[in-house]
Amino acid sequence: MTVGYPFSAVVGHDDLKLALLLNAVSPAIGGVLVRGEKGTAKSTVVRSLAALLPRVAVVAGCRFSCDPAAPDPSCPDGPHASGLSPQPRPARLVELPVGASEDRVAGSLDLERALTEGVKAYEPGLLAAAHRGVLYVDEVNLLHDHLVDLLLDAAAMGVAHVEREGVSVRHAARFLLVGTMNPEEGELRPQLLDRFGLAVEVRASRDPAERAEVVRRRLAFDAGPAGFARAYAGGERDLALRIAAARERLPAVALPDDALRKITAVCAAFDVEGMRADLVMARTAVALAAWEGRDEVTSDDVRTAARLALPHRRRRDPFDDPSGGPGGGPGDGKDHGIDEERLEQALADADDAPDDGPDDGPDKGPDDGPDDGGPSGGGGEQAPVNQAPVNPGAPYRTRLLAPEAAGRGGPAGRRGRTTGESGRTVGARTPDGRLRRLNLAATLAAAAPHQHRRGHERGRAGSRLVLRREDLRESLREGRESNLVLFCVDASGSMAARARMRAVKGAVLSLLLDAYQRRDKVGLVTFRGAEATVALPPTSSVDLASARLARLATGGRTPLAAGLRRAEQVLAAERLRDPRRRPLLVVVTDGRHTAGPDPVTAARRLSGVASVVVDCEHGPVRLGLAGRLAAALGGTAIRLEELAAGHLAAVVRDVRRVA
Ligand SMILES: [Zn+2]
């Protein structure tokens, strides 16, 4: 048995430890999202939590961890007899790997047996294993969309649900959700972000003495884990006892009116969406009081709760500059903390506020509008929120978001084909392995010719349909996949001089947002002067990509061939790293080259890759160089002007389909 690193031996990381402990005291807080760069021991701290959790009493033999005092009435291993003696076992920490299959997570239902033998054969998944424990997702930002949906459903309802063609199984799945992520590798989908009760930013200490202590302990642990764990056994026991005591105290902790008013004032001041933040803050403040051994929530509890519960709840836009706007340097972590001054102001304002009724205050959010102040005329039809003047270099927000809806007017079916989570049915086949998606029509067609004979074999089976394994057919579906979209952008003087760069940046940002919505990876190669550079290695972070693009230097000569060669290298490296993700190359250029060799040879080397050339040439006399380049690449050319109509996203999707 492996010995884990003790929680009490972790140096620093006070916010993270507190967030985890508060959730251990009050799982209703809703989990923790841990953001931080690599090498900050995020995972170590999370994994060490399980050892501190109180043991759980379960029904012996139940694979779904039913509580003997209140067994799940829908438990697939039930119904359980009452008055069973509880079997205590340690609380589990279950890790959900990013690449896990749906069956592995939600459990798998043997559809074949269900249909041919009438037996519900269900194999529990990770959600069942995590029930009443911790579900830990490392690199949660890289989790596949369908797993995210599964997780959100389970987390929202406390129930895992598997359904295959009308055969369904459900069981309780309540767990403490902990996710860790490195924001440099991509942001989390906003829907998932809000599901985490608390969020903490983790960074390595800047204090040399503290860093030395981290290293010292790690070396000691690696040299002798068992001895190291023994040295901290007392600390671990104290923490476990304190959690248990706080859990007991929790129901008795009072949340006075003035503390509640502070909570709601702070949430209002930070313009958070919905009411979830208020609830989470209240639960956190109460848990904190219980953890400190108090019976009443104080102002300090509210302040700490705000720091843990609000950073990830401010309204975000995928194009928010990660550096936090002018002045804020990248990586200073400020954008993910909360504005302390505003917090203090809100807390102070709540103290001054009159007791009678809510006061809207001067700065109402835009969606407070319809609720008060008497709608004049079509009050319900508010103007779109994004009415702010858009600067020309900004992405085509409206256009960009429009294609999803506007696409219905365009070539129907093309888009639809790529939007479904699991794709549309394009045929049927005999299952290769486990049957997952029954194609009923094809199955019946396969079974029909044998019914007469089977009826006789069964003796008088009457009119019942007799299905055999060999009849079963599954649907063949076309799913969607994510791609790597690599931009290769001409940043030379010829482009800048014509003030085309702005339009190009806008176009690329538009594509970035499209890629973001589709969970594509994006990368950026630029070329100017004597060389090409990888401005952005392939990433899922649209924040990063847009920031790099905004800072893009321009000017100089045009080494087009070098740009293409660089793109080829990036694609080759990425093929090794992520072989299943198919690449798409978008070359943004006017086709000129004024430095380095002729680009045609370099282009031909890329002819195996799906590509689009965005032709930035303009003026009355056109040389058509971009068209020639597209031909050499074996790709499509599209004029920059066409981007305004949102064509590029459509072209890219078409290319993606055939890629
Ligand atoms: Zn059970």
Side-chain angles (χ1 to χ4, degrees):
M1 164 152 179
T2 55
V3 177
Y5 197 85
F7 190 92
S8 53
V10 174
V11 179
H13 291 322
D14 294 338
D15 281 355
L16 172 55
K17 287 191 285 193
L18 183 61
L20 290 171
L21 290 168
L22 293 179
N23 271 281
V25 171
S26 172
I29 290 171
V32 187
L33 175 65
V34 191
R35 302 162 55 97
E37 58 203 13
K38 270 204 187 93
T40 41
K42 305 184 284 284
S43 299
T44 305
V45 185
V46 172
R47 292 191 181 108
S48 66
L49 176 70
L52 305 180
L53 298 176
R55 295 164 73 84
V56 286
V58 297
V59 170
C62 172
R63 295 171 300 162
F64 301 86
S65 302
C66 277
D67 181 352
D72 175 8
S74 65
C75 175
D77 282 355
H80 301 298
S82 56
L84 293 166
S85 63
Q87 303 273 315
R89 64 154 174 78
R92 289 192 193 121
L93 181 130
V94 172
E95 297 204 24
L96 193 160
V98 163
S101 68
E102 192 178 329
D103 277 356
R104 174 99 192 279
V105 176
S108 61
L109 192 58
D110 194 334
L111 195 54
E112 215 164 272
R113 287 188 64 197
L115 290 169
T116 59
E117 299 169 34
V119 182
K120 273 192 191 180
Y122 178 69
E123 204 51 52
L126 296 174
L127 293 178
H131 180 46
R132 305 174 71 197
V134 182
L135 186 66
Y136 173 39
V137 192
D138 189 14
E139 301 190 304
V140 63
N141 51 328
L142 305 181
L143 201 62
H144 286 274
D145 278 0
H146 67 278
L147 294 186
V148 169
D149 293 338
L150 267 176
L151 207 55
L152 291 182
D153 284 354
M157 302 187 298
V159 168
H161 182 220
V162 180
E163 179 155 354
R164 297 268 181 272
E165 313 298 341
V167 183
S168 73
V169 172
R170 59 177 54 230
H171 63 80
R174 285 185 302 277
F175 45 81
L176 165 53
L177 182 62
V178 182
T180 51
M181 62 176 277
N182 177 358
E184 287 174 7
E185 289 167 352
E187 270 308 332
L188 200 59
R189 280 211 316 199
Q191 305 93 300
L192 189 51
L193 200 58
D194 187 49
R195 287 292 170 179
F196 287 95
L198 309 180
V200 287
E201 193 87 3
V202 167
R203 47 180 25 219
S205 168
R206 301 288 188 261
D207 173 17
E210 196 175 308
R211 293 172 76 101
E213 188 55 28
V214 171
V215 173
R216 234 190 315 270
R217 291 192 189 181
R218 189 75 222 185
L219 291 176
F221 175 76
D222 289 344
F228 187 84
R230 266 195 304 279
Y232 286 89
E236 296 288 285
R237 206 165 32 239
D238 290 348
L239 282 174
L241 288 173
R242 195 169 161 191
I243 289 172
R247 273 196 188 182
E248 263 182 46
R249 182 182 290 270
L250 190 72
V253 174
L255 178 66
D257 283 348
D258 67 318
L260 179 57
R261 195 166 57 235
K262 284 191 168 79
I263 288 170
T264 55
V266 168
C267 288
F270 280 84
D271 188 28
V272 295
E273 274 176 78
M275 292 296 296
R276 203 196 296 266
D278 306 60
L279 276 169
V280 169
M281 257 183 80
R283 288 181 180 134
T284 307
V286 168
L288 194 55
W291 175 248
E292 302 283 357
R294 284 182 275 104
D295 290 323
E296 195 171 286
V297 170
T298 65
S299 280
D300 277 343
D301 295 336
V302 173
R303 189 176 283 113
T304 305
R307 258 183 223 125
L308 296 173
L310 293 185
H312 57 309
R313 293 181 199 277
R314 40 164 219 166
R315 291 174 197 273
R316 270 182 70 81
D317 181 284
F319 282 142
D320 277 355
D321 184 345
S323 64
D332 61 2
K334 264 185 196 158
D335 56 319
H336 295 300
I338 60 170
D339 185 338
E340 299 279 340
E341 233 171 86
R342 207 153 128 206
L343 175 59
E344 291 310 322
Q345 188 61 50
L347 289 170
D349 288 352
D351 273 339
D352 301 340
D355 269 346
D356 51 280
D359 179 14
D360 267 336
D363 50 354
K364 296 187 294 178
D367 42 13
D368 293 343
D371 289 339
D372 51 25
S376 54
E381 291 294 314
Q382 286 289 305
V385 178
N386 281 330
Q387 284 290 299
V390 176
N391 86 57
Y396 314 135
R397 272 166 211 269
T398 45
R399 270 178 215 129
L400 205 50
L401 295 170
E404 290 300 339
R408 293 187 192 131
R414 284 198 169 167
R415 279 178 190 288
R417 211 173 149 152
T418 52
T419 49
E421 275 297 335
S422 48
R424 62 173 187 145
T425 302
V426 293
R429 64 174 175 199
T430 306
D432 175 21
R434 183 189 288 284
L435 174 69
R436 293 179 52 88
R437 309 250 177 221
L438 181 76
N439 187 316
L440 184 59
T443 300
L444 289 178
H450 310 298
Q451 291 307 305
H452 184 70
R453 180 170 47 82
R454 287 179 191 169
H456 283 296
E457 283 169 11
R458 273 211 174 183
R460 293 253 24 107
S463 56
R464 256 192 66 204
L465 177 73
V466 183
L467 279 184
R468 295 269 165 83
R469 173 166 307 211
E470 61 268 24
D471 304 329
L472 299 177
R473 297 289 182 274
E474 68 178 3
S475 296
L476 246 178
R477 287 177 190 230
E478 259 183 4
R480 65 176 202 173
E481 59 169 15
S482 350
N483 298 69
L484 163 64
V485 182
L486 181 65
F487 293 95
C488 184
V489 177
D490 179 354
S492 70
S494 64
M495 299 278 286
R498 290 184 224 140
R500 302 296 276 166
M501 213 51 219
R502 250 180 131 64
V504 167
K505 282 183 185 178
V508 175
L509 283 179
S510 307
L511 273 177
L512 279 175
L513 182 52
D514 188 61
Y516 170 78
Q517 289 167 335
R518 305 174 52 86
R519 308 300 286 167
D520 285 337
K521 264 188 178 175
V522 294
L524 177 63
V525 169
T526 62
F527 51 95
R528 59 183 283 265
E531 55 170 19
T533 42
V534 182
L536 179 75
T539 170
S540 305
S541 167
V542 76
D543 283 353
L544 264 185
S546 61
R548 296 281 166 89
L549 198 64
R551 272 185 245 124
L552 195 63
T554 56
R557 283 146 62 92
T558 317
L560 178 53
L564 295 174
R565 268 205 309 276
R566 200 69 206 217
E568 188 189 346
Q569 289 161 1
V570 171
L571 292 175
E574 206 55 26
R575 207 161 18 241
L576 291 177
R577 208 170 284 148
D578 200 353
R580 290 194 309 171
R581 195 182 281 269
R582 286 189 297 184
L584 171 69
L585 177 66
V586 179
V587 188
V588 182
T589 177
D590 57 10
R592 271 170 215 272
H593 69 102
T594 60
D598 189 286
V600 170
T601 313
R604 290 212 179 108
R605 289 170 59 90
L606 282 160
S607 61
V609 177
S611 59
V612 179
V613 176
V614 178
D615 182 359
C616 301
E617 183 175 35
H618 80 147
V621 184
R622 289 173 180 265
L623 299 173
L625 294 172
R628 271 181 47 202
L629 180 67
L633 285 166
T636 318
I638 172 176
R639 297 233 304 273
L640 182 61
E641 297 89 291
E642 293 178 84
L643 288 182
H647 281 176
L648 184 53
V651 169
V652 165
R653 287 183 188 187
D654 277 355
V655 171
R656 192 198 311 271
R657 276 199 308 115
V658 298

